Amino acid sequence: MLKNTFWLEKWQSGQIGFHLDKVNPLLVEYWPKLNEGSKVLVPLCGKAKDLIWLAEQGVKVVGIELSDIAIRDFFKENLLSYEQSWYDGVAYYQAKELDILLIEQDFFEFEETDFDACYDRASLVAITKEARPRYTHHLKQRLKSNAHLMLITLDYAYQDGREANSPPFNLLDDEVLEYWPIAEKPIFSQDLFSQNPRYKAKGYSYFSEKVWLIDLIL
């Protein structure tokens, strides 16, 4: 499992190639319709603009993020003000203009429950395979028994057969089904390798992105 210092150093040094500087179009296309006021959990949220889009849909957004740099950049870059409070040594940042609460905490230490949905674009793929069962178990404990999960996965391989030693990590369909047996198959898949020559230039033999929409029965 990657240590927290790995991510904190990434934000400190500005090595955040994983950050998408716009709303993910897959979120806009496939996010399920939720009741107004539903609670949505976004693990390892970084400073994603997806948080803004979700809040604009009338839901309560709770993002969990280790780095205070990411959190403060989120508010600064989106011209949002916030109120900061502390509870049991954990910092909470509540946006004033939108219903977005960012919590500066290790996700494995986050204990709030009863979330109606979870959006995972870059969380499970950032977790090592060894730590994924623990992550998934912890996530399930945070969700209502009938919650919705939107999960985005990456399936890729290198031409020389090597394994990735840093995120994002490969995540096969069979592994998703192991964690979430209720899932059937991805609702969308796109071949990024064919769409963009940079994937070949980086040594990949294929690279696909998939969207899973899972209605839980826990």
Side-chain angles (χ1 to χ4, degrees):
M1 180 174 174
L2 296 174
K3 296 182 181 296
N4 289 346
T5 52
F6 173 89
W7 296 107
L8 294 173
E9 288 170 0
K10 288 290 186 184
W11 284 102
Q12 183 68 41
S13 62
Q15 299 178 43
I16 53 172
F18 49 83
H19 172 66
L20 183 63
D21 198 26
K22 62 180 181 179
V23 176
N24 189 339
L26 297 177
L27 171 64
V28 177
E29 180 69 21
Y30 295 105
W31 181 249
K33 178 66 176 178
L34 301 178
N35 293 330
E36 187 170 351
S38 294
K39 288 172 54 181
V40 176
L41 176 62
V42 186
L44 283 66
C45 65
K47 58 176 183 177
K49 293 188 179 296
D50 296 342
L51 300 166
I52 301 286
W53 187 89
L54 285 167
E56 290 174 343
Q57 310 313 302
V59 300
K60 300 177 183 295
V61 180
V62 178
I64 313 302
E65 172 54 46
L66 270 174
S67 171
D68 66 320
I69 295 175
I71 292 174
R72 295 179 189 279
D73 281 355
F74 169 79
F75 287 103
K76 180 179 180 180
E77 292 172 10
N78 292 289
L79 304 179
L80 296 173
S81 55
Y82 62 88
E83 292 182 353
Q84 184 178 5
S85 59
W86 293 83
Y87 182 75
D88 282 350
V90 177
Y92 294 76
Y93 303 74
Q94 177 65 58
K96 295 182 179 180
E97 296 84 356
L98 291 168
D99 203 343
I100 300 174
L101 172 65
L102 300 189
I103 302 175
E104 186 185 335
Q105 189 176 29
D106 183 330
F107 178 67
F108 289 104
E109 297 176 0
F110 176 68
E111 296 295 336
E112 188 176 340
T113 60
D114 292 329
F115 284 89
D116 298 288
C118 174
Y119 172 58
D120 183 336
R121 180 191 79 85
S123 186
L124 189 55
V125 295
I127 303 291
T128 60
K129 188 171 183 177
E130 295 73 21
R132 285 173 182 168
R134 178 187 171 204
Y135 167 86
T136 305
H137 176 72
H138 188 71
L139 174 58
K140 288 179 179 179
Q141 292 180 316
R142 314 276 71 78
L143 304 176
K144 290 183 177 179
S145 60
N146 61 344
H148 306 276
L149 169 65
M150 181 175 174
L151 172 66
I152 298 178
T153 62
L154 303 174
D155 181 4
Y156 64 79
Y158 286 101
Q159 296 173 12
D160 58 10
R162 71 182 187 275
E163 297 287 335
N165 57 12
S166 64
F169 296 110
N170 192 28
L171 183 54
L172 300 177
D173 292 0
D174 286 347
E175 192 176 348
V176 174
L177 295 172
E178 179 182 340
Y179 304 140
W180 305 98
I182 193 67
E184 295 182 358
K185 60 182 181 180
I187 61 172
F188 174 78
S189 179
Q190 60 178 337
D191 179 5
L192 298 179
F193 181 83
S194 298
Q195 295 178 21
N196 193 323
R198 74 183 179 93
Y199 290 97
K200 185 175 182 179
K202 289 186 175 182
Y204 294 105
S205 57
Y206 68 87
F207 199 112
S208 64
E209 182 177 42
K210 301 180 181 182
V211 177
W212 301 74
L213 195 57
I214 304 171
D215 296 324
L216 276 59
I217 302 177
L218 299 179

